[in-house]
Amino acid sequence: MHHTIVIGLETHVQLLTKSKLFCGCVNRFNPENPNTQTCPVCLGLPGSLPVMNREAFLLSVKTGLALNCDISQFTKWDRKQYYYPDLPKAYQISQYDLPFSHDGFLEAEVEGQGVKRVGIIRAHLEEDAGKNMHDETGGGRDSHVDLNRCGTPLLEIVTEPDLRSAAEAKAYLDELKLLLNYLGVSDCNMQEGSLRCDANINLHIHGDDGSKIATPIVEVKNLNSFRGVEQAIDYEANRQLEIYEETGRKLGDPGVHKETRGWDANRSVTFGQRSKEEASDYRYLPDPDLVPITLTADEIDEIRQALCEFPADRRRRFSEAFELSAYDVSVIVNQGAEFANYFETVAAECGDGKQAANWCTQDVQRELNERSVAIGEFPIGAVALGTLLAKVVANEITTKSAREVFAELLESEAIEPTAALAQIDQIIEERGLAIVSDTGELEGVVETVLAGNQKIADDFRSGKQGAIGPLIGQVMREVKGADAKVVRQMLIEKIGK
Amino acid sequence: MSIVGSTTEELLGQLASGDVSCVELTSAYLDQIAARDPEVQAFLRYDRDDALRQAERIDAKRQSGQPLGKLAGLPVAVKDNMCTKGQPTTCASRMLEDFVPPYDAHVVTRLKEADAVLMGRANLDEFAMGSSTENSAFQVTRNPHNAEFAPGGSSGGSAAAVGAGMTPLALGSDTGGSIRQPASFCGVVGMKPTYGRVSRYGLVAFASSLDQIGPLAGDVTGTARLLEVIAGHDARDSTCVDLPVPEYTQSLNEPLSGLTIGIAAEHFAEGLDPEVESTVRSALDVYTSLGATVKEISLPHSRYAVATYYVVAPCEASSNLARYDGVHYGFRAESFENMIDMYATTRGEGFGDEVKRRIMVGTYALSAGYYDAYYLKALKVRRLIREDFDRAFADVDVIASPVTPTPAFKIGSLVDDPLAMYLQDLYTLSANLAGIPGISIPAGTSSGGLPIGLQLLAPAFEEERLLRAARMFEQESE
């Protein structure tokens, strides 16, 4: 007997729009000033009416296309009705039977396993609710409601039950998050709740006789970290196996319903909430205040044409164009679109992908980590770094000198690209870092050094190859930026004369 | 010439010529309210000082030669389900007794821009649910022609206020006849525009796909003038259509030549009061004498209109009224055990019986397992009703019918019989289901001295045709 874990994920992603989904209120995380980003519409005041934010809808369609979904030419809004203090209309405007997109997939690289294709059942757009806050100081009697988040656009992406392990779920979420970053659709900040996840989990138990039994499906709600998703999956798999071995209860047995469980991140366990049997009847109703949305095939095509390059395509292109290893490419592309763009500019400027990759993944990355900043706030612009590396590639300065310039640029915090370019030349000039391969300039120095070191020259002549090392060093101390190869060549020639 | 009882055009003429100031005019109506409203009870609230202050501002504007709006100086009563910034908007419900909106409904903004004088807030059936204005949580409005009789509803306060000469103009809302039926009972003109002609922004929703704000006035011209002001696109209502608004008052007096009027057998069936029937038939004779042709049409699905309406409207109402839960604003019960109990107690105490009845019907019909049988089926029949009208309007320009099966009924006579009350709207609510415009104009008087109205219906966005047709009849009966 062995078993497979079967997982489907529902991910809620807050869209990065300027305003909320159905009103003009600003869409911004702002828990410090509760109920300041509200208006009659998102407060659900009597007589107020929603008007769809077209930007949010187009962002969603972009995402649907990026998830390889079919985009519906006719889609509508429905009211999902339930009572809760953070839902001032007592219904959430969502999409029920006609979501704007359906039947897509996302491919994710699973470590040690290769590419996994995860089916997407549907992606639909809805408004977020507010947030209830319970003040425990008054014995839990005081509850507050913050409606700043109420009405922010939320994209719900539902996968097929295609995932088979915590690692696959993690790989899917990583790739989804990256894709949303490339699309500029969401910042996926889990601390701020802009990406939230529910996982549907059960086991398929395969008997030695070829039989297959499914355990009851459990939905683990409100997982707010990828680590939590992984842990919850593993926890549930063990728990469900134990229960099955104890009770033999399986999906389809009378009285067996889908169970909803919560996730306790502190104790790393799931806990029972309610069974679907007691679940609310949402009494979905097409929203009569909003008109259905129609898109022509041409409009969908237009959005498709304007889509950015997706991470997978970019990985492929980088590895071909810059002759990089799969590992290097992933490290660069997985950092996010801005980082990958940075790399691409550096590589284009210096004309050497490998050089650019080394610098970006090592020198630049180290600084970003130390400073805890994103690439957008990095003081050395991509053009500046590319220009600097071009000098290494053209053998105008050494890699060691380039690091010196890099360090000084970092200290000067040059932001202006043109200023940075001028500064690079200035630093090279001031420190005399330019490689001197002009034999005329070197000749005198080489002769002087030889003249003062006849003994060493004789040793070399008599076959002691290593004797030349100190001579090279001496020349190079005199002429900073001298090309060691050229110096060596000159010394050998002169000694031989 | 007396002010009260004059038509809106006469009043505008007097104001323009300087024969009367807006303050004088407003005072005259306020005096009429003081005289008549203790009996009629049309106004939930009015503020004499506030009305006069508005009037002074308009007079000052006129004196300084500033451009004035289309309603400059005319009082307008507003049904108390249209939000007015800083003033209570109660929907005649305990639930919103203390609710003060922080914003103006689109129509209220339009009235202010047109330099109207906002006279006060007209009574209604709670949340516009009813046909007699008896469902108001605060007071029972009486028919200005006979105080023992109902003014109709739900815009009973608006219709009674105009009928009693307490205001020349009023705004009502019509979800299933709620402007036309009280207009008919009170002997005034009332119109439900095409769905989407007037923005619903700020109208407290009852049934969103049916609700429409419309004008009431003593005559067709006043109705046209008020519609001209409130109609037109508003980006805050997604269902409000962006079509130009004709100047209805300009073309109003041109008779429609070659007018073809449709009459449907379904509108003259069992249950129709003989006096009402003869009034409508005489009106048709008037039209014939003016050169119109009367043609029989069929609206075969109209017999399902009441059933369809009483699924669609309660379903939407149950959803629209769910927000009154005591959490964020409005009434909250004083004592309760826990959160769920707070919702239940608040809603149990805050809503009246008719509102609760409809919320329960709607909640039931939308529940899992019933949706297809009720709501979805009702939507399908609704489409058939609309198609009936499409077919009919291929042959006729307007459709004429009774407004209600009977003249006004006595207060209290139908309150215990919801079904009989619902049948009041038999002839009117098809227009809401189909989204087409309809108008009720006074056509006669019953032997008991109560007004009887004539209803005219036109295709969507043909308000101009409807008003001109109505005006033809009105001119003839002057």
Side-chain angles (χ1 to χ4, degrees), chain B residues 134-150:
Chain B
E134 291 165 286
N135 295 334
S136 167
F138 306 122
Q139 66 197 38
V140 173
T141 300
R142 302 193 168 256
N143 193 309
H145 295 271
N146 185 334
E148 282 178 41
F149 286 79

Side-chain angles (χ1 to χ4, degrees), chain B residues 164-185:
Chain B
M166 300 189 283
T167 177
L169 295 169
L171 285 184
S173 66
D174 190 317
T175 306
S178 276
I179 289 175
R180 290 160 288 157
Q181 184 249 21
S184 166
F185 280 12

Side-chain angles (χ1 to χ4, degrees), chain A residues 332-407:
Chain A
I332 292 164
V333 171
N334 294 3
Q335 290 288 321
E338 266 195 286
F339 191 88
N341 291 342
Y342 184 92
F343 159 79
E344 194 168 358
T345 307
V346 173
E349 282 293 325
C350 75
D352 184 335
K354 186 67 195 163
Q355 188 80 254
N358 288 343
W359 277 77
C360 288
T361 58
Q362 291 161 30
D363 302 79
V364 175
Q365 188 61 55
R366 185 185 319 116
E367 280 303 317
L368 292 180
N369 293 347
E370 270 174 29
R371 291 160 183 247
S372 300
V373 296
I375 190 72
E377 298 155 78
F378 192 62
I380 304 174
V383 174
L385 181 58
T387 308
L388 178 62
L389 298 189
K391 292 183 190 297
V392 178
V393 174
N395 216 25
E396 289 171 27
I397 58 171
T398 63
T399 297
K400 188 163 158 280
S401 302
R403 291 226 157 79
E404 251 184 270
V405 178
F406 184 78

Side-chain angles (χ1 to χ4, degrees), chain B residues 377-396:
Chain B
K377 178 65 70 69
L379 290 188
K380 288 175 182 166
V381 181
R382 184 177 182 178
R383 199 174 60 237
L384 294 174
I385 289 170
R386 193 179 303 139
E387 286 168 3
D388 278 357
F389 281 109
D390 289 346
R391 263 192 301 277
F393 285 123
D395 293 333
V396 301

Side-chain angles (χ1 to χ4, degrees), chain A residues 7-78:
Chain A
I7 308 148
L9 295 178
E10 289 173 24
T11 312
H12 288 91
V13 181
Q14 266 179 14
L15 297 183
L16 273 180
T17 50
K18 288 188 278 298
S19 52
K20 293 185 180 181
L21 186 49
F22 296 111
C23 64
C25 286
V26 62
N27 173 20
R28 190 162 49 88
F29 180 68
N30 183 7
E32 289 80 25
N33 303 292
N35 298 309
T36 53
Q37 291 158 206
T38 57
C39 73
V41 176
C42 56
L43 291 176
L45 291 188
S48 65
L49 293 171
V51 176
M52 186 191 77
N53 174 348
R54 196 142 184 100
E55 186 201 351
F57 184 71
L58 293 179
L59 276 181
S60 305
V61 172
K62 267 170 78 170
T63 313
L65 287 168
L67 292 169
N68 305 292
C69 284
D70 291 341
I71 304 297
S72 307
Q73 286 183 245
F74 178 94
T75 181
K76 67 179 174 74
W77 300 101
D78 301 283

Side-chain angles (χ1 to χ4, degrees), chain A residues 40-41 43-52 76 78-79 81 83-91 132 145 147 281-291, chain B residues 83 96 99 102-103 195 200-204 208-209 235-239 315-316 318-320 322-325 327-329 339 343 347 363 366-368 371 375:
Chain A
V41 176
L43 291 176
L45 291 188
S48 65
L49 293 171
V51 176
M52 186 191 77
K76 67 179 174 74
D78 301 283
R79 296 179 176 181
Q81 313 196 66
Y83 287 95
Y84 210 57
D86 66 8
L87 193 68
K89 296 190 298 293
Y91 59 81
N132 291 344
V145 184
L147 296 178
D281 173 358
Y282 290 119
R283 288 177 289 112
Y284 280 99
L285 169 77
D287 195 324
D289 287 331
L290 288 159
V291 284
Chain B
C83 289
L96 292 178
F99 176 67
Y103 71 102
Y195 185 78
R200 294 182 294 118
Y201 190 78
L203 169 69
V204 180
S208 312
S209 75
R236 295 171 301 178
D237 175 0
S238 311
T239 64
C315 282
E316 293 184 13
S318 73
S319 174
N320 285 329
R323 68 188 66 193
Y324 308 117
D325 57 9
V327 175
H328 298 278
Y329 52 82
M339 190 177 81
Y343 289 142
R347 291 167 66 77
T363 305
L366 287 177
S367 298
Y371 180 89
Y375 190 70

